[in-house]
Amino acid sequence: MGRLDDKVALITGGARGQGAAEAELFVADGATVVIADVLDDEGRATADRIGDACRYEHLDVTDEAGWGALVADIVEAHGRLDVLVNNAGIFRVQPLGETSLDDWNRMLAINQTGVFLGMRAVAPPMTAARSGSIINISSVAGLNGVGMAFTYSATKWAVRGMTKSAAQDLSRSGVRVNSVHPGYIDTDMLRELDPDRGNLERGVPLGRLATAAEVGEVVLFLASDESGYCTGHEFVVDGGLTA
Ligand code: NAD
């Protein structure tokens, strides 16, 4: 028996990195998974690699109408939508003084508004089913200040706050909402921060970066009924970085 048997999940930013690792773990534990992204070729290749229980759909998470159409399509095709992982995100090294209003608005649109639109889109079917799990991917940058990535940190704190408010709002409907806070995870995103990874590794108490799958295991737990009494909280996967 898989921990996600019969569950249907939507994972944004699933073409690569952590989202792709989560999709693979979810399918291995019995779920049907839709991965959504703007990287269409990579997304299709990832879904093909994972197998029949995974399919790719184009979704820019800033597109309100796109969210409505995709959620309606999944519910029509599968009769349910049990799990949303709001994982899509962008990162830039950019301190406060170097941040233009356009830079700020662009990152908020993806990292923050995208999470709002996603939660709002899945709430009706989950509320109707009186069951669901929403997992919002924040960061250790949503637990601490990050001087060299001002806007990124602002969006990840926002995700943490939105998670708690949505959890309170939706708890009586049986829908759980939690945030996950990765530290340094070995994906494409990290290359901008430290191309050779060495400096980052030295700063981590466990002495290494995490694999995407190590975050995925925590996300899987939150998606499963094993976490049925967890809502509104932060789950930190950072090798001790913020301990
Ligand atoms: P990644 O860059 O490999 O993956 C991010 C994915 O999001 C990409 O596939 C990208 O195409 C997609 N995406 C970007 N903009 C999008 C949009 N508008 N609509 C749909 N998809 C879009 O990086 P990752 O490490 O897998 O990041 C996953 C999440 O984890 C992000 O939210 C990131 O902020 C967070 N995170 C990453 C780290 C890390 O060290 N890598 C640490 C903390 C938090």
Side-chain angles (χ1 to χ4, degrees):
M1 273 230 338
R3 288 179 290 171
L4 299 184
D5 278 350
D6 302 324
K7 292 194 190 295
V8 176
L10 169 58
I11 302 175
T12 67
R16 68 182 194 193
Q18 294 176 56
E22 287 150 15
E24 194 164 355
L25 289 169
F26 279 26
V27 166
D29 243 305
T32 298
V33 177
V34 176
I35 54 174
D37 208 298
V38 290
L39 300 176
D40 295 335
D41 291 344
E42 219 166 325
R44 281 191 207 98
T46 297
D48 286 350
R49 179 174 55 76
I50 292 173
D52 288 346
C54 182
R55 76 178 154 94
Y56 173 76
E57 294 289 342
H58 179 92
L59 175 70
D60 182 331
V61 294
T62 68
D63 176 3
E64 182 178 17
W67 269 109
L70 180 56
V71 169
D73 175 68
I74 292 170
V75 172
E76 190 181 329
H78 302 285
R80 56 194 298 154
L81 177 54
D82 303 281
V83 179
L84 169 65
V85 186
N86 273 315
N87 165 78
I90 58 170
F91 173 83
R92 275 189 82 179
V93 172
Q94 200 167 47
L96 170 63
E98 295 170 19
T99 303
S100 72
L101 182 57
D102 281 350
D103 295 331
W104 166 265
N105 284 335
R106 173 82 186 133
M107 193 168 286
L108 257 68
I110 296 172
N111 290 9
Q112 183 175 347
T113 307
V115 172
F116 151 63
L117 291 174
M119 290 196 290
R120 200 187 57 178
V122 301
M126 288 185 177
T127 299
R130 302 205 62 76
S131 167
S133 176
I134 299 172
I135 301 125
N136 294 326
I137 307 301
S138 176
S139 168
V140 288
L143 300 171
N144 290 334
V146 184
M148 51 80 182
F150 174 78
T151 312
Y152 182 77
S153 181
T155 64
K156 294 302 186 179
W157 277 84
V159 168
R160 181 181 173 198
M162 292 193 300
T163 298
K164 291 185 181 297
S165 297
Q168 288 187 15
D169 187 17
L170 298 175
S171 57
R172 300 270 173 211
S173 306
V175 180
R176 301 182 294 108
V177 191
N178 292 286
S179 58
V180 170
H181 299 257
Y184 299 142
I185 317 304
D186 196 0
T187 67
D188 288 332
M189 184 175 283
L190 210 67
R191 286 190 188 113
E192 178 168 3
L193 199 55
D194 182 11
D196 71 4
R197 320 286 212 264
N199 292 333
L200 292 180
E201 281 182 346
R202 279 188 285 280
V204 180
L206 282 183
R208 62 177 178 84
L209 308 183
T211 65
E214 286 178 299
V215 180
E217 293 287 3
V218 175
V219 175
L220 193 156
F221 165 71
L222 291 171
S224 77
D225 296 339
E226 291 174 359
S227 59
Y229 204 57
C230 302
T231 194
H233 281 292
E234 298 91 352
F235 292 78
V236 183
V237 190
D238 73 350
L241 198 60
T242 58

